[in-house]
Structure formats: structure tokens, C-alpha cells
Amino acid sequence: MPEHLSAAVTITTTPFSDQKPGTSGLRKRVPVFQQPHYLENFVQAIFDSISPPQGATLVLGGDGRYYNREAIQIILKMAAANGFGRVLVGQGGILSTPAASCVIRKYATFGGIILSASHNPGGPDGDFGIKYNTANGGPAPEKITEAIFSLSKTIMQYRILDVADVALDTVGEYAIGKMTVSVINPVADYAELMESLFDFDAIRTLIAGGFRIKFDAMHAVNGPYAREIFLNRLGAPVDSIMNCVPLPDFGNGHPDPNLTYAHELVEILYGENAPDFGAASDGDGDRNMILGRHFFVNPSDSLAILTANAKLAPGYREGLAGVARSMPTSAAVDRVAVELGIPCFETPTGWKFFGNLMDAGKVTLCGEESFGTGSSHIREKDGLWAVLFWLNVIAVRRQSVEEITRAHWAHFGRNVYSRHDFEAIPSDAANGVMKHLKDGFATLPGQKFGSYTVDVCDDFSYTDPVDGSISTGQGLRILFTDGSRIVFRLSGTGTEGATVRIYLEAYDPDVARHHLDAQVALSELIGIAGDLSQLVARTGRVQPTVIT
Ligand code: VG1
Ligand code: CO
């Protein structure tokens, strides 16, 4: 029998107990994924839970991190053995998360598998991750991820084809068993979608007129996308992009576009002769950080500003159906929604909660405080989309990033905002902090702390307005009578110990105070958060690992 027609073999396996997807898929250290059968079990659990019809098409790609190529080969052989008719895979195994979502939707597929641990570091001792996206292009909802987890706990066997590896580096069609593998250009469909949404002519004119941009791909997946869009399609000079060669270990960096980990870009934008505009994206290309010259745009403000200016971009000229933000994201966008007369939804953390709202046509733009912004053009957050949106707004308004942001605050008031992350805390200590807080909730309302009085405390829960599904335990909220708030949450994407996130927000309508640094403006709330949580005593941590 010719090798490419080899029969599927059924391999006997035993379950792993720890394959529970978190905020965004299953993330573990690379050596965990390299254990025999570990990846295979999870992939079979995905296939068993979605039971694809014979001949269905799957999309497959990842952010190029260490183990990406090996995992792609395994999944291709398993897809063939599980009856898929075709797999669309990005050349070299590459697809950014937003590009994967775009391709899933464009070619009417049965969904896709995305290999990424997003902003987590990569390399042999770094992290790897895998998630399933449904036919709408969005992350599988909790109902599906729970089904996958429960199958993973009882799995006894998986199916795989015993064939040679597929040539991933050349665009073309290959047969494995009865299945076709289409190796596609990972950038083309996505770049075309971006051109349909934004005024590329206006942005090209802006750049040709001397407006200087700097985009940092952080040696992650967006490098080739940035090269095609900024250099080839928008005519930006070569030095407009940096770190645009994807590396399996992200150049030993932490591909998280924030003020701490994207410091190379931050130093350029805060240095002498700084460019007019700076931006970065994360490991899998779905996050964005926006900088002006000597200026940082808080992601919650970015969502509000894009919402207020949406009609300046051709793709949103008709207006927005509504907006949505995750619960810890600041309420800046809520104020814009009121003025626009459109609904605003508050969901739990994680992009999967926006999918139903977008599918039902209830919202157009969505965002999270964690550098995630996007719209219903796909079903994932989208880093380069946010960058292009900002450039489109600037090209029309002819104002700097700082001027646009300050004008926004002057009009709507400023939701002063910060997030403090305490990473790699022993799980027991982190759980102790959360329990201590929750235990205090019964007696907190009405109590006064400095200039703040507690109004309500709760553990956020969400009822999906489309399918009625309920998600509980989504973050501890302390809401004060003046609308300020402190939120405590444990991360669902970390792989080492626990990460405690503290989200702080206060509203300030007074322009005279809008120049204040957020840490200064929020200093009293930061102190209250420390007192109420006993974080220092319980974890020994005095300073956050990351401040945004
Ligand atoms: C974090 C962010 C969340 C985001 C998630 C996935 O989750 O807070 O807003 O949706 O990462 O982003 P957590 O549970 O660690 O707080 V990505 O770009 O890592 O896929
Ligand atoms: Co990401």
C-alpha cells in the first residue's frame, strides 16, 4: 500500500487528569505537552466532543512557538484518521489567532485548532497551548470546553494515521490518507480583510507625509503580517517595524505587549526623536498596545476611543450595533455607548463570552483591559486591526495619539484605571487571599475607607443574554458609592502557581487632574486593596510583577 494511503491506527492510551481548558484553551509547559499521548489525548477529546461530519474542513495553525511544527504534524495525521476531508494549514504551520479566525469564517469550515500560549513565554522550558475554535471563528464556549475536559478524563484510545510528515513550508495541496492538506499563505486572507475595513489610502498618505510609526512584533507571529501590511501595502519605511522575524522562543522574551515586557519599544517611544506612533502585539497576534510619542493609551480607553470614532473607518461607517467589555475593563466605553445610544454589555473575562453577542448581531466592537480589542469582522481579538483602526482615526483627525486621548477625556471624563498583577504566587496563598476577601463581603457594605464607602460586594456571575448559560465565580468586586471599584481575580492562563490580578478604577470628570499618573490618582484605592486583601501578609509580595 502506498505510504499516503496507510490505514488509521488506533492507539491505546490512559487519561491525564489536568486537561482542563482555562480562560483561553489548554496551556502547559512544553515538557508536559511532550509527554507521550498528552497532545493526542486532548486532540481526540476535541474531535470526539464536536463529532465532525465525514469530509469536514478544519483550519490549523499556530504562533510558531517551540513545538508548533511537531504538534501540527500530529494533528494533521489525527485529523485524517478522524474523517476530516481537508485541513487548511498556514505555511510553516503559522497562523495568527485573528488570521485563523478569519480563515475559519471565510472558507465555511467546521472550525479550527489554534496552537498558542499567547503572551506566555515559549521555548523548550516555556509554555505551549492549544484551543478549539468553532465554525463562527471564535473560541469554543464553556459548554464545549467542559465537554472536552470531561472526555479527556476517560479517554481510552485515539486514532492517528501512520504516514510521513507533510511538507509545511510550500504552499500547495498534499494528500494524507483520504484527506487533503492545503498549505495556504497565512497572511493573504487576513490582509485583504483589513483592507476592506480601513482606509488604506488615507493611512498611506499619512505615512507618506512623514508620520512615523514603529511596530514591534516581539519576535512573535505578527512579524510577517506587519511586513505585508505596513511595508508592502502602506508603504512605510523598513525601520517602521522591529522584531518581525518569528522565533520559537520569541528571542527569549515574554511576548506580552505591555509597559513591562515591551520595554524596548517603550524606550523608543519615550526617547529622543521618538516616532509619532508605536504599537506592539503578543505571541499569537491578538493583543495590542498603543503608544503615542511619550504617551501610553490604556487599553480600556483605547476601546472607548475607537468606539467614539468608529464612523471614521469605512468598515464601521454605518455605526455600531452595540459594544461589550469584560467585567474588569473600565467603564470608559459605557459612557460612549450612552452618548451613542447603543447597548453596552458586561461579560466575564475571556473572548469566548463575546461570541454569542456578535453572532446575534447585538455588538460590533468588544474589548478587554488586557490589551485586547476587536470587532465582529472575526470572532477573536485582533492586534493589527486595533493598530490600523488607530492609524485610520489619526489619518482622518490629523491629531496626535495624546491629543485624541485628552480630547476624549475632556468630553467624557476619565476612567482612571490600572491593573496590578502578582505572578507565580503559591496557589494556597492566592486562594487564601480570595477566600479572606470573600469572607469579608457580608460586613463590608456601608463601611468607610478614607474617602471611599463600600456600596456592594459580589462574586461576578454572568447570564448569557443569548443562550441563557450561566458562568459563576468570575471575579470579586468591591464597588464604592462614587462608582469607583476594586476587582480581584485569579488568572486562568498562567502555568506556574497562581497569578492574582487587582483591577483598580476611579472616575474623574475634572480636566485639571487628567494629567495625573494613574498610580498617583489611584494611590488611595491601591492602599485600600492592600488592606482588604492582606496580600502582603499572605503572599510576602510587596510590589506587583507587572503594573499596567
Ligand atoms: C488573560 C486576560 C484576558 C484574556 C486572556 C487571553 O486571562 O486577562 O482578558 O482574554 O488572558 O488572552 P487571565 O485569565 O490570565 O486573566 V491571550 O492574548 O493570552 O489568548
Ligand atoms: Co494572545
Side-chain angles (χ1 to χ4, degrees):
M1 184 161 52
E3 194 173 36
H4 71 278
L5 293 180
S6 299
V9 289
T10 299
I11 308 281
T12 304
T13 187
T14 47
F16 294 88
S17 59
D18 65 346
Q19 298 194 322
K20 185 176 170 56
T23 311
S24 179
L26 180 69
R27 294 187 191 175
K28 301 282 176 197
R29 288 270 191 255
V30 166
V32 174
F33 270 104
Q34 286 171 324
Q35 295 174 84
H37 310 311
Y38 193 88
L39 175 70
E40 291 86 342
N41 277 12
F42 191 74
V43 171
Q44 189 65 52
I46 293 175
F47 291 158
D48 287 347
S49 71
I50 60 178
S51 18
Q54 279 290 321
T57 299
L58 182 76
V59 174
L60 178 62
D63 64 9
R65 69 178 58 223
Y66 190 87
Y67 201 54
N68 192 60
R69 296 180 77 94
E70 293 85 342
I72 297 259
Q73 296 291 353
I74 291 171
I75 297 168
L76 285 174
K77 293 169 195 174
M78 289 186 68
N82 278 274
F84 280 93
R86 179 184 294 275
V87 176
L88 305 175
V89 56
Q91 187 179 10
I94 294 285
L95 276 176
S96 75
T97 289
S101 186
C102 161
V103 171
I104 291 170
R105 294 169 66 76
K106 182 168 176 180
Y107 297 103
T109 65
F110 197 69
I113 291 180
I114 303 177
L115 304 173
S116 172
S118 189
H119 55 287
N120 298 14
D125 302 314
D127 287 346
F128 191 75
I130 173 169
K131 68 172 176 171
Y132 172 67
N133 280 30
T134 50
N136 73 348
E142 280 191 330
K143 194 168 65 211
I144 295 180
T145 56
E146 276 157 21
I148 295 170
F149 178 46
S150 98
L151 284 168
S152 78
K153 288 187 286 193
T154 56
I155 189 164
M156 303 299 286
Q157 54 187 41
Y158 61 84
R159 286 183 295 286
I160 188 162
L161 230 56
D162 186 12
V163 287
D165 283 357
V166 178
L168 285 178
D169 292 305
T170 313
V171 169
E173 307 244 306
Y174 306 88
I176 70 166
K178 292 195 203 113
M179 188 182 87
T180 303
V181 177
S182 303
V183 176
I184 61 169
N185 176 323
V187 178
D189 295 304
Y190 176 81
E192 185 185 297
L193 178 59
M194 292 302 109
E195 279 208 64
S196 75
L197 295 173
F198 301 114
D199 188 343
F200 272 43
D201 286 337
I203 301 173
R204 209 179 291 119
T205 306
L206 176 77
I207 292 173
F211 185 86
R212 286 163 56 219
I213 68 172
K214 192 71 141 181
F215 177 79
D216 185 355
M218 302 188 82
H219 287 304
V221 77
N222 261 349
Y225 295 83
R227 190 174 295 279
E228 171 63 19
I229 290 172
F230 296 124
L231 304 196
N232 298 349
R233 301 202 184 201
L234 291 170
V238 180
D239 68 352
S240 304
I241 60 174
M242 61 193 270
N243 299 329
C244 276
V245 177
L247 298 173
D249 65 352
F250 309 113
N252 234 333
H254 203 133
D256 198 354
N258 59 39
L259 294 172
T260 303
Y261 296 125
H263 56 89
E264 197 183 343
L265 177 74
V266 173
E267 277 152 32
I268 293 171
L269 267 293
Y270 280 81
E272 269 176 52
N273 191 26
D276 300 287
F277 179 88
S281 56
D282 71 332
D284 61 334
D286 58 358
R287 296 185 178 203
N288 74 92
M289 176 170 70
I290 303 293
L291 300 169
R293 183 184 288 142
H294 299 190
F295 194 78
F296 165 73
V297 183
N298 183 285
S300 296
D301 284 335
S302 180
L303 172 65
I305 291 166
L306 294 182
T307 301
N309 290 279
K311 286 189 172 177
L312 301 183
Y316 306 94
R317 198 143 279 159
E318 306 300 317
L320 309 174
V323 286
R325 63 165 172 85
S326 66
M327 179 274 283
T329 304
S330 95
V333 72
D334 302 35
R335 297 175 190 279
V336 181
V338 169
E339 186 169 298
L340 295 177
I342 56 174
C344 177
F345 296 85
E346 185 179 40
T347 60
T349 294
W351 211 261
K352 59 185 172 223
F353 294 102
F354 295 136
N356 277 348
L357 295 171
M358 290 193 272
D359 285 350
K362 289 180 184 293
V363 303
T364 311
L365 298 197
C366 309
E368 295 190 278
E369 46 63 42
S370 53
F371 299 86
T373 335
S375 90
S376 51
H377 66 294
I378 54 171
R379 292 294 181 276
E380 289 277 7
K381 55 188 183 272
D382 190 342
L384 283 172
W385 170 91
V387 176
L388 291 166
F389 208 148
W390 265 94
L391 290 174
N392 194 143
V393 170
I394 292 167
V396 175
R397 290 184 50 164
R398 294 281 165 173
Q399 287 174 301
S400 71
V401 173
E402 177 168 359
E403 283 164 348
I404 290 170
T405 306
R406 291 199 185 284
H408 185 91
W409 289 341
H411 183 85
F412 291 99
R414 179 180 177 195
N415 287 71
V416 190
Y417 188 83
S418 184
R419 184 177 106 180
H420 289 195
D421 294 331
F422 297 81
E423 296 177 355
I425 288 179
S427 294
D428 287 351
N431 291 332
V433 168
M434 298 300 278
K435 181 173 186 307
H436 166 72
L437 278 163
K438 216 172 164 176
D439 288 347
F441 274 10
T443 54
L444 268 186
Q447 282 192 48
K448 211 167 165 335
F449 299 91
S451 32
Y452 296 93
T453 305
V454 177
D455 183 15
V456 186
C457 316
D458 67 5
D459 191 348
F460 183 65
S461 73
Y462 176 69
T463 304
D464 186 300
V466 179
D467 67 13
S469 58
I470 296 171
S471 304
T472 57
Q474 298 294 328
L476 302 180
R477 306 193 293 180
I478 302 173
L479 310 175
F480 298 95
T481 50
D482 71 344
S484 307
R485 58 181 188 149
I486 304 173
V487 176
F488 295 85
R489 239 190 103 246
L490 295 183
S491 159
T493 58
T495 55
E496 191 191 343
T499 293
V500 177
R501 304 200 196 283
I502 306 181
Y503 309 81
L504 305 133
E505 178 177 358
Y507 177 66
D508 194 339
D510 186 354
V511 181
R513 283 194 299 266
H514 286 172
H515 66 283
L516 285 180
D517 181 83
Q519 305 311 311
V520 176
L522 294 168
S523 57
E524 193 180 350
L525 277 181
I526 293 169
I528 296 170
D531 292 345
L532 288 177
S533 63
Q534 299 182 344
L535 189 100
V536 177
R538 289 174 176 273
T539 67
R541 295 293 186 80
V542 181
Q543 282 301 319
T545 324
V546 177
I547 294 180
T548 296

